[in-house]
Amino acid sequence: MLSQTSKSDLARTPQLLYARRFKNRYVAPKPNRIKFLRRANVVLHARSTFTPRLLHTAAMCGRPLDTALANGRSAKMLATSDPRSPFSHKRYTLKKHGKLLIFRTGDIIRAGKHTHGDAVTALYAFTRWASKGTAASLSWPTTVSIPNTVCNAAYTVPIKESVKEHYRATHTPKFPGIALGWQALQGVTVELFLKRNNWIAPGIASPEMLVTASELMNQLHVEVNQ
């Protein structure tokens, strides 16, 4: 029985207990053709623009919030507004916190490996550090979402090349991957690579969607290799 992805599963709020939720819902199929499942990239979006939510957050913090995070004294040390520079004044690459993009609107995008918890921790650690020297000496994101988690996996044994002829597959010689789509995976197109016997699933929004993707890819392997 394949897991069903409901509208509630598409919530983009960070899933801090992602691994636990996945483990509680995933039942290894028989036969199991999935060797491993991993999160390869977690994309986090945050916002600190002047909205009613920002006012509420400022009230809870007991001080006004500053949305000009990139203009802080600490942040300016890692960036430049010189267009001739190879470093973008809106982009920050940090060993601990991953890659962050900060926009004048107050929006923040963070991309990096590891977990949802790592992404959220990196966001708040960076904003706390970078807000030093801003007008209000504090910048705090009021909205945080993770709209895209890229997951990768591999099969225990190679899938037959005849998968290219499967009715769910789209293949072109211009691209090494084989695109696979299911109605049960809204907004997700799985890319299968025969050379390394692995596949990636971008757009995963919840642990439940990852469960569904793994079940469908396992079922595909069984169908093609029988």
Side-chain angles (χ1 to χ4, degrees):
M1 179 68 70
L2 293 177
S3 301
Q4 296 298 317
T5 303
S6 64
K7 291 183 179 180
S8 61
D9 295 331
L10 298 179
R12 298 311 201 249
T13 54
Q15 307 295 323
L16 300 184
L17 300 179
Y18 198 104
R20 179 184 297 182
R21 284 183 56 180
F22 176 82
K23 184 178 179 180
N24 289 341
R25 290 161 174 77
Y26 179 72
V27 178
K30 296 181 180 180
N32 184 12
R33 304 295 174 83
I34 305 298
K35 185 177 182 180
F36 65 79
L37 286 166
R38 298 171 182 166
R39 276 169 289 184
N41 188 24
V42 177
V43 181
L44 180 147
H45 290 185
R47 171 167 294 183
S48 58
T49 53
F50 287 105
T51 63
R53 183 186 292 270
L54 181 66
L55 298 178
H56 296 160
T57 306
M60 289 188 293
C61 292
R63 66 175 77 178
L65 303 182
D66 198 326
T67 61
L69 186 64
N71 294 329
R73 182 175 57 252
S74 299
K76 283 184 176 181
M77 295 172 60
L78 298 181
T80 175
S81 57
D82 186 352
R84 296 171 298 177
S85 171
F87 303 99
S88 171
H89 70 285
K90 297 180 181 179
R91 178 174 178 173
Y92 301 84
T93 302
L94 304 173
K95 184 176 181 180
K96 291 181 60 177
H97 305 314
K99 296 179 180 179
L100 292 100
L101 298 178
I102 302 178
F103 301 89
R104 295 179 181 177
T105 59
D107 293 341
I108 303 172
I109 296 178
R110 186 268 185 187
K113 298 181 180 180
H114 309 299
T115 68
H116 283 213
D118 292 326
V120 174
T121 300
L123 168 69
Y124 285 110
F126 178 80
T127 54
R128 183 178 181 180
W129 172 82
S131 63
K132 297 176 181 178
T134 58
S137 297
L138 180 64
S139 180
W140 207 250
T142 55
T143 303
V144 180
S145 64
I146 297 184
N148 181 20
T149 299
V150 181
C151 299
N152 62 11
Y155 284 129
T156 55
V157 295
I159 190 171
K160 293 181 179 179
E161 192 169 353
S162 59
V163 68
K164 295 179 180 179
E165 309 302 324
H166 195 278
Y167 70 96
R168 293 191 181 278
T170 301
H171 173 67
T172 171
K174 297 181 180 179
F175 185 71
I178 301 171
L180 300 158
W182 286 269
Q183 188 174 1
L185 291 175
Q186 300 179 34
V188 176
T189 300
V190 179
E191 295 290 340
L192 171 64
F193 301 92
L194 297 180
K195 185 176 180 179
R196 296 186 177 181
N197 190 40
N198 68 333
W199 48 271
I200 62 172
I204 296 294
S206 69
E208 290 75 19
M209 288 188 71
L210 182 56
V211 170
T212 301
S214 62
E215 291 173 340
L216 291 171
M217 289 301 291
N218 190 85
Q219 180 178 301
L220 176 70
H221 191 290
V222 173
E223 290 178 2
V224 173
N225 280 36
Q226 64 182 359

